[in-house]
Amino acid sequence: MPYFEPELQLTEEEFRLIRDLIYNHCGLFFDDDSKYLLDRRLGQRVAHHNLSGFREYYQFLKYDRRRDQEIADIMDLLTTNETYFFREAFQLRAFTDEIVPEVMKVKQRERTLRIWSAGCSTGEEPYTIAMLLLEMGCLHGWRVEIVGSDISQRVVQHARKGIYTKASFRATDERYLKRFFTETDEGYRICDEVRELVTISQMNLFDANRLALLGKMDVIFCRNVIIYFDQTSKKRVIESFYNTLRGGGYLLLGHSESLMNLSTAFALKHLKNDMVYQKTDTTGGGVAT
C-alpha cells in the first residue's frame, strides 16, 4: 500500500488537546512554539492509521484499544536521545572518588549498591557507571545493581542490544574500548561483565506504580532530562526521586539543571570534583511551592 501524508494541519484546539494528553501521560511539555513539531511528526501517525485528521487521531489516542501502543510509538517520535559514554567527566569523577567510597562506608554491613540511571536513552550512561565500578575493583563481595530506564521503547531496545558506533565514544579513553568492548560488523559490543550489572527497563517517570517497584536507591543519575518538563512536572519527578532514594542518597543532575525553586528536600553538596544533591535526613524538607 503506498504511503502518503495527508494534507492536513493541526488546529490550535487540536494542538492543545494532544499536547495536554501527552503532558498528562509523561510530563513532557510542548509550548506553543512546538505546534509545528507535533504537526509534522504526528502527521505521520495520522497517515499511518488512515485517519481523517488530528481530531480523529485524538479520539484514537483517548479510546482506541491500541492507544497504549500508539502512545509508546509517539514517545519514540517526540523524545530527544542525545548521549554518549563518559559524559560530564567531572561529575563521574565525583561519583567514583567521593560518592561511592562514602556509600561503601555507610553500607559496609549490607554490602549493596543500587544505582538508577533515569532517562538513560540508548544506555551509554548505565554502562559507563558499570565500567567505572568494575575499574575501581573495590566492590568484590558486594551486590551491585544498576537500573537504566527510559520512556522510549526504541532506545530501550538499543540499550539492551548493547552495540554502539563511533559517535558514542567521543569522550571514551581507548583503554575502555579495549577492556569492555568487542568490535563486530555492527559496531562495538559491550561485554557481558558490564551487562551483568545493568538492567534496562522501559519506564515512565510519571508511573507511580512502576516507580514503587524500584525499591530504594543509593544514587540516582537523571542528567539532561528534566529540562524537557515544566515546573509542575519537575516537582513531581523530583519528589519521586526523593522517595526512591535512601536517607543520605545522592541525586546527580545535568550541569544545566538545578533544584532551585523545585525542592528543599535536598542539600547541595560541594564535593572536590563537582556539586551534587544529597537527600537530607531531616523530615522538614519537601517540594517547593
Side-chain angles (χ1 to χ4, degrees):
M1 179 183 294
Y3 172 84
F4 67 94
E5 188 167 330
E7 292 186 5
L8 49 86
Q9 191 170 17
L10 188 64
T11 67
E12 293 293 339
E13 182 185 8
E14 291 164 346
F15 168 67
R16 287 193 295 272
L17 287 170
I18 294 173
R19 175 190 67 182
D20 291 350
L21 185 148
I22 293 168
Y23 175 78
N24 291 330
H25 172 69
C26 66
L28 287 178
F29 180 73
F30 295 92
D31 60 22
D32 292 344
D33 293 335
S34 304
K35 179 174 176 289
Y36 173 73
L37 183 146
L38 289 187
D39 193 334
R40 181 166 52 88
R41 296 190 182 178
L42 297 187
Q44 303 169 26
R45 304 305 300 168
V46 174
H48 175 80
H49 292 292
N50 294 313
L51 302 176
S52 61
F54 285 106
R55 172 72 64 172
E56 188 178 0
Y57 184 61
Y58 172 72
Q59 296 298 320
F60 181 94
L61 291 173
K62 286 278 287 185
Y63 304 113
D64 194 276
R65 60 183 173 80
R66 298 164 289 174
R67 65 178 297 277
D68 289 343
Q69 182 57 52
E70 181 63 21
I71 291 174
D73 288 341
I74 65 176
M75 289 299 101
D76 290 343
L77 290 174
L78 297 177
T79 51
T80 302
N81 307 120
E82 167 64 20
T83 189
Y84 50 90
F85 289 106
F86 297 96
R87 191 175 188 176
E88 299 187 8
F90 286 107
Q91 192 176 74
L92 294 176
R93 198 170 302 124
F95 170 71
T96 56
D97 294 359
E98 300 172 83
I99 294 174
V100 173
E102 181 183 311
V103 173
M104 290 181 70
K105 286 181 182 177
V106 171
K107 302 190 71 181
Q108 55 185 322
R109 292 184 63 185
E110 300 166 67
R111 298 178 76 81
T112 61
L113 175 61
R114 305 194 71 237
I115 299 165
W116 178 19
S117 170
C120 73
S121 186
T122 42
E124 286 91 334
E125 181 173 89
Y127 289 137
T128 293
I129 295 166
M131 286 186 277
L132 290 170
L133 293 177
L134 288 168
E135 187 181 50
M136 289 176 71
C138 59
L139 288 160
H140 297 298
W142 282 64
R143 182 164 60 88
V144 178
E145 297 178 66
I146 303 165
V147 176
S149 72
D150 201 279
I151 196 171
S152 167
Q153 59 187 0
R154 175 177 53 82
V155 299
V156 163
Q157 289 167 1
H158 186 147
R160 287 173 175 164
K161 189 175 182 182
I163 297 177
Y164 298 92
T165 59
K166 286 284 189 181
S168 294
F169 299 102
R170 68 193 77 168
T172 304
D173 191 281
E174 188 70 23
R175 75 178 188 275
Y176 292 108
L177 270 175
K178 290 179 178 177
R179 178 176 175 185
F180 296 115
F181 293 87
T182 301
E183 190 169 5
T184 70
D185 292 339
E186 296 179 85
Y188 292 87
R189 183 186 186 278
I190 196 84
C191 72
D192 290 342
E193 183 185 18
V194 173
R195 294 167 73 103
E196 286 169 1
L197 297 181
V198 179
T199 300
I200 303 291
S201 299
Q202 184 180 4
M203 192 178 299
N204 178 356
L205 295 178
F206 264 34
D207 188 340
N209 293 329
R210 285 291 306 281
L211 295 182
L213 296 175
L214 278 173
K216 292 296 184 183
M217 294 288 171
D218 299 299
V219 184
I220 297 176
F221 285 80
C222 186
R223 305 192 293 178
N224 307 302
V225 174
I226 64 171
I227 52 174
Y228 301 105
F229 295 163
D230 71 352
Q231 196 80 346
T232 301
S233 297
K234 287 177 181 177
K235 289 180 180 180
R236 178 171 169 178
V237 170
I238 295 302
E239 186 171 15
S240 294
F241 290 159
Y242 180 85
N243 292 333
T244 304
L245 281 169
R246 65 163 177 81
Y250 285 92
L251 174 62
L252 281 63
L253 301 176
H255 282 157
S256 64
E257 300 165 318
S258 82
L259 296 186
M260 187 177 296
N261 300 321
L262 292 178
S263 175
T264 58
F266 292 85
L268 181 61
K269 189 163 184 177
H270 295 256
L271 302 179
K272 183 174 63 177
N273 291 290
D274 204 357
M275 292 185 295
V276 299
Y277 290 98
Q278 187 174 29
K279 177 176 178 176
T280 59
D281 288 321
T282 60
T283 58
V287 173
T289 58

